[in-house]
Amino acid sequence: NAGVTQTPKFQVLKTGQSMTLQCAQDMNHNSMYWYRQDPGMGLRLIYYSASEGTTDKGEVPNGYNVSRLNKREFSLRLESAAPSQTSVYFCASSFSGTGDSPLHFGNGTRLTVT
Amino acid sequence: QKEVEQDPGPLSVPEGAIVSLNCTYSNSAFQYFMWYRQYSRKGPELLMYTYSSGNKEDGRFTAQVDKSSKYISLFIRDSQPSDSATYLCAMNGNNFNKFYFGSGTKLNVKP
């Protein structure tokens, strides 16, 4: 039972380069999320998708775009990477997105932008 | 003021000690409370989940919620070196897609 799978695990980019972070879940969850985690800042929500076909901005959406490809997959794109986007990125999913359905996380993508 | 406050630690205890981890919050609408364990270079893993006030026990772990004081706790009995991790609290008022996280407490259990 894989849960939430993220690829790649590590990535180094130069300023201005683009990349897409991939996330897939096999738990039949409806809601999916992208967070970034930085020292001293905790987890901050970038974008979320309440259900297939919908996406919404979170707390820190600038510089990112997302695509909910189907019910299982939710990708995060950095169009022009900046050093401020150096972080650990976590994908999460929830059955309903409400408090009675906790989040389940992947193991993260560690991104460095030089 | 942050919605959820959590002491970052680090908290260092000897093996076998009872550990108490805590979070305070300001929003009285929170009803669902979660504790996540995060090992180094891994994602947060759901450890405990409770609804409203009261206690919930699972093996060596007990989650406690005091809504009147807006205070939640995670107790770890007979702590082990394998419990060394960062512990995150999270909460939700049953608002759609609104989960609020503490910044995490780093725990080190010494053999």
Side-chain angles (χ1 to χ4, degrees):
Chain A
N1 191 2
V4 178
T5 303
Q6 293 184 236
T7 55
K9 289 184 171 54
F10 305 94
Q11 186 71 48
V12 178
L13 291 178
K14 293 187 189 312
T15 297
Q17 288 185 318
S18 62
M19 78 162 296
T20 300
L21 282 66
Q22 307 284 357
C23 174
Q25 52 90 11
D26 63 0
M27 295 177 283
N28 199 35
H29 284 174
N30 294 298
S31 298
M32 296 186 73
Y33 308 77
W34 278 105
Y35 286 88
R36 61 179 288 173
Q37 188 177 44
D38 303 288
M41 304 290 287
L43 285 162
R44 292 183 291 169
L45 182 64
I46 305 170
Y47 270 94
Y48 66 94
S49 171
S51 61
E52 188 178 352
T54 69
T55 60
D56 283 288
K57 295 178 181 179
E59 183 184 353
V60 289
N62 290 346
Y64 306 95
N65 285 301
V66 291
S67 295
R68 183 74 182 267
L69 304 169
N70 48 56
K71 188 172 184 177
R72 291 186 64 246
E73 298 173 288
F74 188 38
S75 63
L76 178 72
R77 183 158 177 85
L78 286 70
E79 291 290 352
S80 179
S84 60
Q85 294 178 305
T86 293
S87 187
V88 183
Y89 291 86
F90 289 103
C91 178
S93 70
S94 162
F95 181 73
S96 63
T98 50
D100 58 351
S101 178
L103 297 175
H104 295 264
F105 287 86
N107 277 325
T109 295
R110 282 152 186 81
L111 175 68
T112 301
V113 183
T114 61
Chain B
Q1 185 188 3
K2 287 185 181 178
E3 297 268 6
V4 180
E5 298 279 359
Q6 186 175 11
D7 188 329
L11 180 62
S12 188
V13 301
E15 183 175 353
I18 296 174
V19 175
S20 172
L21 303 166
N22 311 295
C23 288
T24 59
Y25 62 95
S26 56
N27 190 339
S28 58
F30 289 151
Q31 301 177 60
Y32 298 92
F33 303 92
M34 291 140 271
W35 284 97
Y36 288 85
R37 178 176 61 196
Q38 186 175 19
Y39 290 117
S40 180
R41 305 183 83 77
K42 295 289 187 182
E45 170 196 10
L46 182 65
L47 197 58
M48 298 285 282
Y49 163 68
T50 54
Y51 170 69
S52 194
S53 285
N55 291 1
K56 182 175 181 179
E57 189 173 319
D58 184 1
R60 296 185 295 111
F61 298 90
T62 299
Q64 191 173 79
V65 176
D66 182 349
K67 290 190 73 180
S68 62
S69 301
K70 297 191 184 70
Y71 190 88
I72 68 170
S73 300
L74 178 70
F75 297 98
I76 307 174
R77 290 184 299 281
D78 187 25
S79 56
Q80 302 294 309
S82 59
D83 295 326
S84 297
T86 296
Y87 290 80
L88 300 159
C89 63
M91 18 199 112
N92 182 295
N94 213 27
N95 293 320
F96 197 48
N97 294 304
K98 292 287 189 184
F99 292 88
Y100 295 88
F101 285 87
S103 54
T105 299
K106 187 169 185 177
L107 172 66
N108 180 32
V109 181
K110 299 173 293 185

